[in-house]
Amino acid sequence: MQALSKTTIYAIRALIYMLNNQQTNQYINIRDISNDLDISFHFLTKILQSLTKQGLLSSYRGATGGIAISKNPQNIRLIDLIYILEGNDFFDKCLLGLPGCGTLEPCPAHEIWSVAKDDLKMKFENASILDLKNLKGRITNESLELATA
Amino acid sequence: MQALSKTTIYAIRALIYMLNNQQTNQYINIRDISNDLDISFHFLTKILQSLTKQGLLSSYRGATGGIAISKNPQNIRLIDLIYILEGNDFFDKCLLGLPGCGTLEPCPAHEIWSVAKDDLKMKFENASILDLKNLKGRITNESLELATA
DNA sequence: TTATTTTAAGACTTCAATATCTTAAAGATG
DNA sequence: CATCTTTAAGATATTGAAGTCTTAAAATAA
Ligand code: FES
Ligand code: FES
């Protein structure tokens, strides 16, 4: 089950990477992120641009430029990234693809699905990008490195 | 959040429709299903074909032909449809798109996601197509008709 | 200033899911 | 038989997400 689009996935991984690698008051090079995480540079740039526009990141052009997290990472929740990148209706979709889940007459799967959705929504509300960083898991395709406990 | 593909969605809706409309020992016309549910006839035909190949449906060609549910609908679970139409790895996907969820070193979101996945998996294991039929919800785009309680 | 580096922005391409179209095969009907 | 209906099967088309390419703008550095 592909819950999130590549766009959101790349954003999450990039932000965790930035938390792991940032020095104080220093911009991080997008090229480095894309290289280390094996993500298309231009695609990642566009994703991060939208986060910059939303005020989560700040960017700086030129030779020593890059991007930096400009918001308290404890206040950057997964659900915030989802709403920005997937849209505010992310949790309003009917399991059977019918219009008006929660507002029109429910479909037969509504009871099951709405509970599961609320559950997941809550998890995404309670997980900040800092939380994920502290959980210290794998964010690259490589399975070599073990978690540093 | 689009959990299921259109393929699976159409299959579920068609099966519920069939339970609602079937007479004993009678084949149901795919054209009727596609008309009433507003689903592309050829697309739906192909989906139902794969269910026929898997033994869930039986089909009959020619003038009075159509399809019929050939398996006890109480034993057709949502998870069975998912495995057939989405693949057996449906619940093995990493939230961050990384390979080897559950087998390789977990990603930072694994704890959250694996629990949510297991939860949903259980719900899909416990819901048969007959259960959904009995829940009597909307399976078309139209919001006119109310559930017949 | 001129050249280099880096993000910004938009056009373009690719790919898989979705949808449509065409023909074949099987059965019914007269 | 000839004709019609319906599912089967495969080719083709459309669409949106994902990915690539090109140029612009901003900043550094020689
Ligand atoms: S109406 Fe279908 S899941 Fe809510
Ligand atoms: S490894 Fe990422 S969710 Fe399991």
Side-chain angles (χ1 to χ4, degrees), chain A residues 1 3 9 90 93 95-96 98-99 104-108 112-113 116 120 123 127 132 135 137-138 140-141 143 145 147, chain B residues 1 3 9 90 93 95-96 98-99 104-108 112-113 116 120 123 127 132 135 137-138 141 143 145 147:
Chain A
M1 174 169 45
I9 287 174
F90 185 77
K93 304 290 182 58
L95 184 72
L96 300 189
L98 302 174
L104 299 181
E105 189 217 336
C107 79
I112 290 176
W113 184 233
L120 191 60
K123 286 186 160 76
L132 293 187
L135 284 170
R138 170 174 57 122
T140 75
N141 293 329
S143 53
E145 40 178 329
Chain B
M1 175 169 45
I9 287 174
F90 185 77
K93 303 289 182 62
L95 184 72
L96 299 188
L98 302 175
L104 300 180
E105 188 215 336
C107 80
I112 289 176
W113 183 234
L120 192 60
K123 286 185 160 78
L132 293 187
L135 284 171
R138 171 174 56 120
N141 292 330
S143 53
E145 40 177 330

Side-chain angles (χ1 to χ4, degrees), chain B residues 73-92:
Chain B
Q74 199 159 6
N75 295 329
I76 301 179
R77 303 170 301 168
L78 281 194
I79 201 166
D80 300 320
L81 298 173
I82 289 172
Y83 282 154
I84 291 174
L85 298 170
E86 310 265 354
N88 286 314
D89 60 350
F90 185 77
F91 289 104
D92 301 338

Side-chain angles (χ1 to χ4, degrees), chain B residues 107-128:
Chain B
C107 80
H110 185 77
E111 191 56 32
I112 289 176
W113 183 234
S114 64
V115 172
K117 269 195 305 185
D118 287 349
D119 218 60
L120 192 60
K121 187 176 177 179
M122 204 176 310
K123 286 185 160 78
F124 286 163
E125 282 170 344
N126 291 330
S128 75

Side-chain angles (χ1 to χ4, degrees), chain A residues 69-108:
Chain A
I69 297 180
S70 65
K71 189 177 167 181
N72 185 342
Q74 201 159 6
N75 295 330
I76 302 179
R77 303 171 300 169
L78 280 193
I79 201 166
D80 299 320
L81 298 174
I82 288 172
Y83 283 155
I84 291 174
L85 298 171
E86 310 265 354
N88 286 315
D89 60 349
F90 185 77
F91 289 103
D92 301 337
K93 304 290 182 58
C94 166
L95 184 72
L96 300 189
L98 302 174
C101 176
T103 63
L104 299 181
E105 189 217 336
C107 79

